Amino acid sequence: MTDQILSHIDATLDARLERLFELIRIPSVSTDPAYAGDVARCAEWLAGTLREMGAEASTRETTGHPMVVGHLPGPSEAPHVLFYGHYDVQPADPLELWNSDPFEPVLRPVEGDTHIVARGASDDKGALMTFVEACRAFIETQGTLPIRVSFLFEGEEESGSRSLPGFLKGAAQELECDIVLVCDTDMWDRETPAVTTMFRGLVGQEITVTAGDRDLHSGMFGNAAANALAVLSDVLASLRTPDGGVAIEGFYDDVEELSPETAAEWAALPFDEEGFLTNVGLKVPAGEAGRSVLQQVWARPSCEIHGIWGGYTDPGFKTVIPCQAHAKLSFRLVAGQDPEKIRTNFLAHVRARLPEDCSVRFEDHGLSPAWAMDRENRFLAPTLEALSDEWGRSTTCGTGGSIPIIGALKAALGVDALLVGFGRFDNRIHSPNEKYDLSSFHKGMRSWVRIIERLSTCK
Amino acid sequence: MTDQILSHIDATLDARLERLFELIRIPSVSTDPAYAGDVARCAEWLAGTLREMGAEASTRETTGHPMVVGHLPGPSEAPHVLFYGHYDVQPADPLELWNSDPFEPVLRPVEGDTHIVARGASDDKGALMTFVEACRAFIETQGTLPIRVSFLFEGEEESGSRSLPGFLKGAAQELECDIVLVCDTDMWDRETPAVTTMFRGLVGQEITVTAGDRDLHSGMFGNAAANALAVLSDVLASLRTPDGGVAIEGFYDDVEELSPETAAEWAALPFDEEGFLTNVGLKVPAGEAGRSVLQQVWARPSCEIHGIWGGYTDPGFKTVIPCQAHAKLSFRLVAGQDPEKIRTNFLAHVRARLPEDCSVRFEDHGLSPAWAMDRENRFLAPTLEALSDEWGRSTTCGTGGSIPIIGALKAALGVDALLVGFGRFDNRIHSPNEKYDLSSFHKGMRSWVRIIERLSTCK
């Protein structure tokens, strides 16, 4: 049966590609109100596509852009999966850096593959259609799916997912499932598909240090007056230890160490530590001494400064003692760490280092926990096996970024998520000339067919 | 004789004020090419005024705005002073913050005094005319001056004094003198005139730290990649010691301690340490522990950060690891410190703290030594005595700022300078509603008459 479906996919690739192109051609830029009509049209297109495949599907109004919800039946004793994807895209600017129209996909042959170049080719229309077309191939050849599949397509992922929590609350019963599938992660490398089993949380903060009530002249006040930029520099420098760790009290208290199984799997990955840094003009891992680079970016919490500003920053020179200084920074968290506690300890750390005549204001920019999939989850092993069937290998991996949607889905639906994607590191998502490899689409559909087959046997 | 001149000044104040108003009405804004004609007209007005007083005077072309040079004869055995002032002014904007036309001086009565309000009322037209009118009173009553007086009026002080060093080189012989008088310093307070006997030098620097060749995503690279802002924060924090000193190697090696005489004079000044800081919303002196605030701002070297920028500084949040970070900072120097050496040691300090895969670029923004007048200078004591005759008291003082012109004059002419001014702390120079107290003008002229008398007896 599997072979029949896979052959069918191979034979009908052009038609599948054409449907992906149709979807890409709708410029569903969610952040720009000028595209609101296109976003709505895109949602209708998807609902129509699901209905065409026999699903009960419709768009749902929200406080923002519509959701698309659909259900394809399957054997009642088989697992029920909810596939999450998003149909909105980032703006295409700067347009002048594109080599072709961002909303008119083109195929560009490259060494050993072909690129589908367009905004959304990868993020997330390509990834989403890779799954949808796998389902379609099942239905076209078998008349039905061996598992129950529900779909949830969001139209605001690129602009903050503001309607999602409220929508999930109201739709929790309709979206009941055994596992959520999420499809916008990457492969480990071009030969190795991966299940992403952990990502980091985030505590984002903006701080404003105030020293006095006006800018002063360093000739008149230099030395005697507190300098907001000097106070800020001291505070920021105090956040890291000399060996690359984070110096906040209790920061590492609840950090969970990697399971020996995962650590071994990562150690076995063909990862070029040196190349990872030399590719971006660096050489020395800046994180905790004694930890591998992969551990530093996937499994260890971090503290990074994203922006600092204050005082005179125009051309020339002005000997001002600024009374205000600003910084944006964040902590990436790993499993075990409580974002609230880290935030509280950070605030206390800063306050303890302020001269008594200075003050500080904090602004929150995100507070989300890390996530790690239970290695015993019954769907993990079959998925890795299915991926190995298609690619000859597979792995679990982490990601240093944060995917807040997983937390929202888990909170609303009470189930875990399985993160499988066929994107590549170099897909230029959010940038000009975004691409998706034709092999990601083709072998990705084949992979989903194999995964669906394997999941259907899970008890 | 002195009394006769002083009475004459008291009797003719209105005419003297009118001449000051005439000068102020010429909008000699040197930085704006639109005012070049007015600047030239202002120079001619001054040369004409000096000739009217019997001087040999003329304007001199330079690479920029003209200089005015004049000579008034006196007894050949008497000291020869060169009076330096500048006739250009700062732009008047923002115009909407002025309560009257900046180039139409008005008299505004205030409690206990009258303000002359206009651009240049104080800086430097008021200060300059205070001296010129004292000379005129001598000539009007005595027919001549008891000392030889040369005048040098610059038209580019507010826009960088670019022509001055070259001009001084060529005119050194003509400008030969025993002492330079400079008039744009302030009184200690409204009752106490001061001779400023020291000011600080400056080493200005801009630094750019580079970490890698592109901005990175903190999700993908956080921990492992060097962060330019974190490196910069560490470097800046390392410049100060916990007790408020500067941590650069050898920074204090050549610092000259205050003479016991000067230290005693300062300790006797009625200075409100607490008020100095609480007036600007601060409380705790931030400089070296154990030093008085006056010593911190006048007699101790400092390190101040004037600006920092880098990474994402717009509203919202972006989890970038920036590859570049910038800061502007300066060191105020005191007598004994070599600006070149401080600069070299600062560069070495920064370089020693950079991770090996980061780099730094430096840009100079000024390099000038501190200056301290020799307390034994033969003109100092008579000047302080003359000031006491007029005001009942006088003092020496320092200033934390830098006055590069003094160094240029000393280098070109080989003589020291005597800094006497009747400005006040609250004159709003460079700001809207600049003012000069009528008493500064009136008692300032009377003071200069007494100083000129005293100097004429110096051997």
Side-chain angles (χ1 to χ4, degrees):
Chain A
M1 182 185 83
T2 306
D3 284 349
Q4 186 198 356
I5 308 172
L6 298 180
S7 305
H8 177 62
I9 285 178
D10 298 346
T12 54
L13 188 57
D14 285 356
R16 296 179 198 284
L17 203 52
E18 188 43 49
R19 282 188 289 270
L20 170 59
F21 282 19
E22 262 186 49
L23 177 60
I24 289 174
R25 287 190 189 108
I26 307 172
S28 49
V29 179
S30 60
T31 198
D32 184 345
Y35 292 90
D38 294 306
V39 175
R41 188 156 56 91
C42 197
E44 289 301 340
W45 188 94
L46 278 167
T49 294
L50 293 181
R51 283 193 298 266
E52 216 181 272
M53 288 161 56
E56 182 194 312
S58 59
T59 62
R60 309 290 172 88
E61 292 311 305
T62 70
T63 49
H65 297 298
M67 301 281 173
V68 179
V69 177
H71 305 285
L72 277 169
S76 63
E77 73 285 1
H80 183 179
V81 307
L82 171 65
F83 180 86
Y84 164 88
H86 67 92
Y87 65 86
D88 63 323
V89 295
Q90 283 274 323
D93 1 280
L95 286 178
E96 64 277 15
L97 296 185
W98 284 83
N99 298 323
S100 54
D101 181 343
F103 295 109
E104 185 49 60
V106 294
L107 292 176
R108 190 163 296 147
V110 293
E111 204 185 314
D113 213 325
T114 296
H115 288 170
I116 306 165
V117 180
R119 169 58 80 235
S122 169
D123 180 20
D124 188 36
K125 289 171 173 173
L128 180 159
M129 287 298 277
T130 304
F131 181 80
V132 169
E133 288 293 331
C135 294
R136 184 190 285 266
F138 256 106
I139 292 163
E140 284 171 348
T141 55
Q142 315 301 314
T144 185
L145 282 165
I147 59 174
R148 289 174 292 162
V149 177
S150 293
F151 298 88
L152 172 62
F153 300 141
E154 186 193 3
E156 300 180 296
E157 199 270 351
E158 302 292 5
S159 53
S161 293
R162 273 187 284 272
S163 311
L164 190 73
F167 179 79
L168 286 176
K169 215 167 181 177
Q173 203 170 354
E174 180 183 1
L175 298 176
E176 253 184 19
C177 60
D178 298 310
I179 187 92
V180 176
L181 302 183
V182 177
C183 63
D184 56 3
T185 48
D186 283 346
M187 311 229 304
W188 162 252
D189 62 23
R190 51 185 310 119
E191 278 97 34
T192 318
V195 177
T196 300
T197 57
M198 61 196 324
F199 59 75
R200 294 192 288 188
L202 183 88
V203 173
Q205 284 285 319
E206 181 166 333
I207 73 175
T208 300
V209 169
T210 300
D213 58 17
R214 70 198 74 178
D215 286 356
L216 300 170
H217 188 286
S218 78
M220 287 176 55
F221 286 89
N223 262 347
N227 179 321
L229 282 173
V231 172
L232 179 68
S233 299
D234 285 351
V235 164
L236 293 176
S238 76
L239 293 172
R240 299 285 291 252
T241 60
D243 68 342
V246 176
I248 292 174
E249 196 179 326
F251 190 75
Y252 292 99
D253 282 1
D254 306 312
V255 167
E256 285 175 14
E257 286 290 333
L258 275 189
S259 72
E261 202 173 350
T262 304
E265 225 166 51
W266 290 6
L269 283 173
F271 176 66
D272 175 10
E273 282 222 350
E274 206 183 307
F276 181 76
L277 290 175
T278 55
N279 274 342
V280 296
L282 292 168
K283 206 159 71 181
V284 192
E288 292 161 277
R291 299 278 181 177
S292 73
V293 165
L294 273 192
Q295 286 205 28
Q296 287 184 12
V297 298
W298 287 352
R300 301 299 295 176
S302 69
C303 166
E304 296 291 348
I305 308 170
H306 307 306
I308 305 182
W309 68 107
Y312 183 76
T313 60
D314 286 331
F317 208 64
K318 188 173 170 183
T319 53
V320 64
I321 299 179
C323 68
Q324 281 213 327
H326 312 262
K328 294 180 200 262
L329 71 158
S330 75
F331 301 91
R332 297 274 175 181
L333 308 186
V334 300
Q337 289 181 296
D338 173 5
E340 288 282 4
K341 178 178 160 191
I342 298 298
R343 182 179 168 283
T344 301
N345 290 0
F346 165 68
L347 268 53
H349 180 101
V350 173
R351 289 202 175 103
R353 276 150 190 86
L354 283 192
E356 65 168 287
D357 54 353
C358 296
S359 63
V360 63
R361 204 177 64 232
F362 298 93
E363 190 183 337
D364 282 328
H365 283 286
L367 194 74
S368 63
W371 169 83
M373 192 184 191
D374 183 356
R375 282 215 58 116
E376 304 306 313
N377 186 294
R378 63 183 166 129
F379 300 112
L380 178 57
T383 299
L384 288 166
E385 285 157 19
L387 289 170
S388 292
D389 288 344
E390 175 65 21
W391 300 81
R393 70 186 82 174
S394 68
T395 187
T396 65
C397 72
T399 172
S402 306
I403 314 181
I405 172 81
I406 307 295
L409 289 165
K410 194 166 181 176
L413 309 179
V415 295
D416 216 337
L418 187 64
L419 278 57
V420 183
F422 302 95
R424 291 197 187 146
F425 184 75
D426 62 353
N427 277 358
R428 295 184 289 271
I429 65 167
H430 297 200
S431 296
N433 303 306
E434 175 178 351
K435 61 93 177 166
Y436 192 46
D437 289 75
L438 187 56
S439 67
S440 291
F441 186 52
H442 186 181
K443 284 178 77 68
M445 286 186 285
R446 293 174 54 103
S447 300
W448 279 123
V449 165
R450 293 182 192 272
I451 293 169
I452 290 170
E453 278 278 19
R454 289 264 186 181
L455 295 186
S456 73
T457 66
C458 284
K459 291 300 154 214
Chain B
M1 183 184 81
T2 306
D3 285 349
Q4 186 197 358
I5 309 173
L6 298 179
S7 304
H8 176 64
I9 284 178
D10 298 347
T12 53
L13 187 57
D14 285 356
R16 298 181 196 284
L17 203 51
E18 188 44 49
R19 283 188 290 271
L20 169 59
F21 281 18
E22 263 186 49
L23 178 60
I24 289 173
R25 287 190 189 108
I26 307 173
S28 50
V29 179
S30 60
T31 198
D32 185 343
Y35 292 90
D38 294 307
V39 175
R41 187 156 58 91
C42 197
E44 288 301 339
W45 188 95
L46 278 166
T49 294
L50 293 181
R51 282 194 299 267
E52 213 181 275
M53 289 161 57
E56 182 194 312
S58 61
T59 61
R60 309 291 172 88
E61 293 309 305
T62 69
T63 50
H65 297 299
M67 299 282 174
V68 179
V69 177
H71 304 287
L72 278 170
S76 63
E77 73 285 1
H80 184 177
V81 305
L82 171 67
F83 179 85
Y84 165 88
H86 67 91
Y87 65 85
D88 63 322
V89 295
Q90 283 275 324
D93 3 278
L95 286 177
E96 65 276 16
L97 296 185
W98 285 81
N99 298 323
S100 53
D101 182 343
F103 295 107
E104 185 48 60
V106 294
L107 291 176
R108 190 162 298 145
V110 294
E111 202 185 318
D113 212 325
T114 296
H115 288 170
I116 306 165
V117 179
R119 168 58 79 234
S122 170
D123 179 21
D124 186 37
K125 289 172 173 172
L128 180 160
M129 288 298 279
T130 304
F131 181 80
V132 169
E133 288 292 333
C135 295
R136 183 190 286 265
F138 257 106
I139 293 164
E140 285 170 348
T141 54
Q142 317 298 316
T144 184
L145 282 164
I147 58 173
R148 289 173 294 163
V149 177
S150 292
F151 298 88
L152 172 62
F153 299 142
E154 185 192 2
E156 299 180 297
E157 200 269 351
E158 301 292 8
S159 52
S161 293
R162 271 185 287 271
S163 311
L164 190 73
F167 179 80
L168 287 176
K169 214 167 181 177
Q173 205 171 352
E174 179 181 3
L175 299 176
E176 255 184 19
C177 61
D178 297 310
I179 187 93
V180 177
L181 303 182
V182 176
C183 63
D184 56 1
T185 49
D186 282 346
M187 311 228 305
W188 162 250
D189 61 24
R190 54 185 308 123
E191 278 98 32
T192 318
V195 177
T196 300
T197 59
M198 60 195 328
F199 60 75
R200 295 193 287 188
L202 183 85
V203 173
Q205 285 284 320
E206 182 167 333
I207 71 175
T208 301
V209 169
T210 300
D213 58 17
R214 72 198 72 180
D215 286 356
L216 300 170
H217 189 287
S218 79
M220 286 176 54
F221 286 90
N223 263 345
N227 179 321
L229 282 171
V231 172
L232 180 68
S233 300
D234 286 352
V235 163
L236 294 175
S238 75
L239 293 172
R240 300 285 291 253
T241 61
D243 69 343
V246 177
I248 291 174
E249 196 179 329
F251 190 76
Y252 292 99
D253 282 0
D254 307 311
V255 166
E256 284 174 15
E257 284 291 332
L258 275 188
S259 72
E261 205 173 349
T262 304
E265 227 167 51
W266 291 4
L269 284 173
F271 176 69
D272 176 8
E273 282 222 351
E274 204 182 307
F276 181 75
L277 289 176
T278 54
N279 275 342
V280 295
L282 292 168
K283 206 160 68 181
V284 191
E288 292 161 277
R291 300 276 180 177
S292 74
V293 165
L294 273 192
Q295 287 205 28
Q296 287 183 13
V297 297
W298 287 352
R300 299 299 294 176
S302 69
C303 167
E304 295 292 350
I305 307 170
H306 307 305
I308 306 182
W309 68 105
Y312 184 76
T313 60
D314 287 330
F317 208 64
K318 187 174 168 181
T319 53
V320 64
I321 300 179
C323 67
Q324 281 212 326
H326 313 262
K328 295 181 200 264
L329 71 160
S330 76
F331 301 92
R332 298 274 175 183
L333 308 187
V334 299
Q337 289 182 294
D338 173 6
E340 289 281 2
K341 179 179 159 187
I342 298 299
R343 182 180 169 282
T344 302
N345 290 0
F346 165 67
L347 267 53
H349 180 100
V350 173
R351 289 202 176 104
R353 277 153 189 83
L354 282 192
E356 63 166 289
D357 54 352
C358 296
S359 63
V360 63
R361 205 178 61 231
F362 297 94
E363 190 183 339
D364 282 330
H365 283 288
L367 194 75
S368 64
W371 168 83
M373 192 183 191
D374 182 358
R375 284 215 58 115
E376 304 307 314
N377 185 294
R378 63 183 166 131
F379 301 113
L380 179 56
T383 300
L384 288 167
E385 285 157 23
L387 289 170
S388 290
D389 288 345
E390 175 65 22
W391 300 80
R393 70 185 81 172
S394 68
T395 186
T396 64
C397 73
T399 172
S402 306
I403 314 182
I405 173 79
I406 307 295
L409 289 164
K410 195 166 183 177
L413 310 177
V415 296
D416 216 339
L418 188 64
L419 279 55
V420 183
F422 302 95
R424 290 197 188 145
F425 184 74
D426 61 353
N427 277 0
R428 293 185 291 269
I429 64 168
H430 297 200
S431 295
N433 302 307
E434 174 177 351
K435 62 93 178 165
Y436 192 47
D437 288 75
L438 187 57
S439 67
S440 291
F441 186 55
H442 186 183
K443 285 178 74 68
M445 285 186 285
R446 291 174 54 101
S447 299
W448 278 122
V449 165
R450 295 183 191 272
I451 292 170
I452 289 169
E453 278 280 21
R454 290 266 185 179
L455 293 186
S456 71
T457 66
C458 283
K459 290 301 156 216

